[in-house]
Amino acid sequence: MLTTVFDGAEELADFAARRISEALSTLRALSGHCLLALTGGSTPGLTYRRLATMPIDWSHIDIIQTDERLGVPRDATSAAVIERELIGPAGVPAERWHRMPHESDPAVGARRYAALLRRLAPTGHPDVVVLGLGEDGHTASLFTDPVQTSDPVIITGPYGGALRMSLDTATIAAASVRIMLAAGSGKARAVRQLAGAAPVDPHP
């Protein structure tokens, strides 16, 4: 793992969008298809805005979510960020975008999403994963022990007043490319802890 430091969120977003685009192109060339897993949040959202301007053929790329808050208004979801910043502006075909379900029974939704993942990915995992980093150091919605397991999709929580649906650690770790994004002073401690276990490149 390589940790790269940038001067600001805009520079980070530009670099990350280029890396994602390159990874999608490379991996799609190998198999003709690519599975991209995205998180929500302001820093990833800025990256998606950049990604939406790039000449990517989305007709052979399926997009899923890494995690989602359950039982919150639709416009407060991670999916809303992804739709607003990438799906709409980039013209991603509707059949290529797969929101995490909001079932009345979260366990049912987790099983449905796990079945979708198995259908989309014969390998059992996404090709490219984009993650955020919380101030407490969590990523995706992996901050508590799962209260229900439907491997590779789990329900965690409650945290911040809501249950969460998330890809499990093994599924995320198995992706060919993993990009974690963090910006702002509130994330500095978590980034320092992460960088303490990884080489740091100050010049991307």
Side-chain angles (χ1 to χ4, degrees):
M1 179 179 69
L2 176 65
T3 300
T4 305
V5 179
F6 298 89
D7 291 333
E10 298 280 345
E11 185 181 356
L12 167 63
D14 287 338
F15 177 80
R18 291 196 303 272
R19 285 294 308 274
I20 295 167
S21 177
E22 291 165 1
L24 293 175
S25 177
T26 299
L27 293 168
R28 212 194 114 207
L30 294 175
S31 65
H33 175 264
C34 196
L35 182 59
L36 171 65
L38 301 178
T39 191
S42 57
T43 303
L46 185 58
T47 296
Y48 305 155
R49 194 179 306 166
R50 299 291 194 278
L51 192 63
T53 67
M54 297 182 172
I56 298 170
D57 180 2
W58 296 100
S59 63
H60 296 283
I61 300 170
D62 280 287
I63 302 174
I64 62 172
Q65 293 183 251
T66 59
D67 62 301
E68 184 61 276
R69 292 193 298 164
L70 304 180
V72 299
R74 185 182 179 92
D75 61 0
T77 61
S78 294
V81 174
I82 297 167
E83 290 170 350
R84 181 177 64 250
E85 304 296 352
L86 177 63
I87 304 299
V92 176
E95 66 273 17
R96 295 299 184 184
W97 163 229
H98 310 278
R99 289 178 60 113
M100 282 186 159
H102 283 230
E103 301 282 356
S104 56
D105 182 345
V108 172
R111 287 194 294 271
R112 281 183 55 202
Y113 213 65
L116 171 72
L117 178 59
R118 287 190 291 270
R119 178 171 63 81
L120 295 175
T123 59
H125 58 78
D127 298 299
V128 181
V129 171
V130 179
L131 299 163
L133 184 68
E135 293 184 8
D136 60 1
H138 81 267
T139 190
S141 285
L142 303 172
F143 28 62
T144 67
D145 292 333
V147 298
Q148 182 274 334
T149 301
S150 179
D151 192 27
V153 181
I154 61 176
I155 302 297
T156 67
Y159 185 89
L163 291 175
R164 313 291 180 104
M165 184 179 295
S166 182
L167 302 183
D168 76 332
T169 304
T171 301
I172 291 172
S176 299
V177 177
R178 298 180 304 279
I179 297 174
M180 181 176 288
L181 306 172
S185 59
K187 308 288 181 70
R189 180 179 178 183
V191 171
R192 283 196 298 270
Q193 291 175 337
L194 181 67
V200 177
D201 177 11
H203 304 291

